Amino acid sequence: MAKKLKNAVESRDGNMPSSKSSPCAKPQLRFSSGKYPPLILWICLAFIFCRCREKDEILHLPVASYLNKVEEVPLEDFAASVKKVQLETSDSILIAEIYKVFQTDEFFIVMHLFRISVFDKEGKYLNDISRKGQGPHEFNGISSIFIKDSLFYLYDTSHKEVSVFTFGGEFVRSFSTGNYYNLIFPLQDDDYVAFQLNISGKEKKKLIFFDESKELNAIPYDREYAKPKNVLLIFEMEGHVYSHDGKDYFKEQYSDTLFTIQPGHTLEPRLIFDLGRYQPTLERKHALTDVNYGWDDMAHLSITGETDSYLFFNVRINRETHAYYWDKQRKSLHNVRFTYPRDYGYEGAFIPGAVSEDRRNLISIEEDTVGGNNPAIIIATLKK
């Protein structure tokens, strides 16, 4: 599919495909001299023109071509302001490893080793949300967490259940998913979508759409394959869904295409990430034997988030992470190395790991001491 889309995009720079290969081919209309075409034909022409314009809107980002075009940019030049928030730690709240961070108007919510902790805007520890265990409202295995309608959602795969909490840690409600899913995401229409890994090669459904009581729709896998001998290596972000500006988007790790999830739960291609020879494939994944070295020469692309002006994503190749952004207004792609302000004391680059809930800030984590007693959140507020 991606190759066909790529050809459709590249046709903008060449001749329009023939009528046999594309619905956007120039229509051959014949009219008698001195006669104007009826209104219905003008409507048809307008429809064809609009459909061609829609196909032209599929972006093609030449990611691989920019791997060696790294721009070094001082973070304070790119952002309106940069702030370092030191998280409060103690013997009772050590943060050994941070997996995910959310920023709301009032709080930072940090998922770390077996805990989900809430801090205020200045980094003071406030409370935990739920805890690991077998008791009521406790979790055993988390695969997905997200914020929706100022509430915190936690999907426990072992219980096949989504639990809902306030930011203060108070339990609100829970609902069963009925089936085991690898990942769950919220949608803009108040429904949810689950992503199901195809470990066996026989999985029928890729995306499952549901509300809090029943399954609504599903998008199937488009092919089957023999179960690989090595299924040890499972990557959490093989499927990712995010929302921006009232729309939902889906990206699969082994596809080069970012899709828009349409209101009828169908997928419409939005843009293509051209990773060239670094494009990961299922065949290459199934041949992996070492998670530390298996990804050599194979890209791991993860979408950080989207704002009105930018689409941020990271590409990890050969154990090196490249921070990219697509400038939507200038229509330009950038592979950047954001350098910290000198007084921050960090030698490495600022790698955006998340976008705040209000889409105004880029977020990164720095854990610069052993033992989990000095983590900091770096906030880069974007220019308007």
Side-chain angles (χ1 to χ4, degrees), residues 169-188:
E170 299 175 358
F171 175 78
V172 177
R173 70 179 189 279
S174 64
F175 60 92
S176 173
T177 60
N179 297 302
Y180 168 85
Y181 300 124
N182 294 99
L183 297 166
I184 286 179
F185 306 90
L187 297 175
Q188 293 291 298

Side-chain angles (χ1 to χ4, degrees), residues 136-349:
H137 318 319
E138 294 179 342
F139 62 83
N140 188 38
I142 301 176
S143 78
S144 303
I145 56 176
F146 53 86
I147 292 174
K148 181 179 180 181
D149 299 328
S150 298
L151 292 170
F152 189 83
Y153 288 66
L154 182 158
Y155 172 51
D156 188 340
T157 53
S158 62
H159 296 149
K160 301 177 185 177
E161 186 175 76
V162 176
S163 297
V164 186
F165 299 86
T166 67
F167 296 150
E170 299 175 358
F171 175 78
V172 177
R173 70 179 189 279
S174 64
F175 60 92
S176 173
T177 60
N179 297 302
Y180 168 85
Y181 300 124
N182 294 99
L183 297 166
I184 286 179
F185 306 90
L187 297 175
Q188 293 291 298
D189 60 4
D190 293 331
D191 294 331
Y192 306 87
V193 60
F195 174 74
Q196 192 73 297
L197 278 171
N198 192 10
I199 299 173
S200 68
K202 305 296 183 181
E203 196 70 51
K204 300 298 183 183
K205 299 176 182 179
K206 178 189 296 185
L207 294 177
I208 301 93
F209 300 89
F210 62 97
D211 59 21
E212 295 190 9
S213 62
K214 62 184 181 301
E215 182 177 320
L216 302 172
N217 200 356
I219 293 177
Y221 275 97
D222 56 7
R223 65 166 174 158
E224 293 185 355
Y225 52 84
K227 183 177 179 179
K229 295 179 180 179
N230 178 28
V231 295
L232 176 65
L233 302 180
I234 303 298
F235 300 98
E236 177 186 358
M237 297 306 292
E238 290 195 12
H240 179 63
V241 175
Y242 75 95
S243 302
H244 173 66
D245 197 25
K247 295 182 179 180
D248 302 302
Y249 302 100
F250 169 68
K251 171 73 172 66
E252 192 175 4
Q253 184 64 236
Y254 302 99
S255 168
D256 60 3
T257 306
L258 176 67
F259 293 93
T260 302
I261 301 177
Q262 301 287 38
H265 298 156
T266 58
L267 300 180
E268 182 75 20
R270 180 192 175 190
L271 63 83
I272 295 169
F273 298 97
D274 184 357
L275 294 170
R277 68 183 183 90
Y278 299 103
Q279 174 65 42
T281 64
L282 287 173
E283 289 75 16
R284 295 177 72 179
K285 171 199 169 184
H286 295 159
L288 296 179
T289 57
D290 189 325
V291 70
N292 295 312
Y293 299 100
W295 276 91
D296 286 1
D297 295 324
M298 190 160 51
H300 186 288
L301 188 150
S302 58
I303 294 177
T304 306
E306 185 170 355
T307 71
D308 290 340
S309 300
Y310 305 106
L311 172 64
F312 295 96
F313 59 97
N314 295 329
V315 178
R316 184 167 179 80
I317 299 178
N318 297 333
R319 298 182 293 283
E320 182 179 359
T321 300
H322 298 260
Y324 278 81
Y325 71 87
W326 167 252
D327 188 323
K328 297 193 292 185
Q329 297 175 348
R330 294 180 174 84
K331 301 186 183 305
S332 58
L333 183 64
H334 302 267
N335 176 6
V336 295
R337 184 180 187 275
F338 290 121
T339 57
Y340 281 109
R342 292 183 179 179
D343 58 345
Y344 276 40
Y346 297 126
E347 295 181 358

Side-chain angles (χ1 to χ4, degrees), residues 75 78-83 85 101-108 121 304-308 310 312 338 350-364 377-384:
L75 187 57
F78 183 81
S81 63
V82 182
K83 181 180 180 180
V85 178
V101 174
F102 298 90
Q103 183 193 13
T104 70
D105 290 340
E106 300 180 65
F107 308 109
F108 293 107
K121 292 188 294 185
T304 306
E306 185 170 355
T307 71
D308 290 340
Y310 305 106
F312 295 96
F338 290 121
F350 173 93
I351 303 292
V355 173
S356 61
E357 292 297 300
D358 62 8
R359 304 296 188 266
R360 295 178 55 198
N361 303 320
L362 287 179
I363 304 169
S364 186
I377 297 177
I378 312 299
I379 308 298
T381 299
L382 298 171
K383 296 177 180 178
K384 294 182 179 180

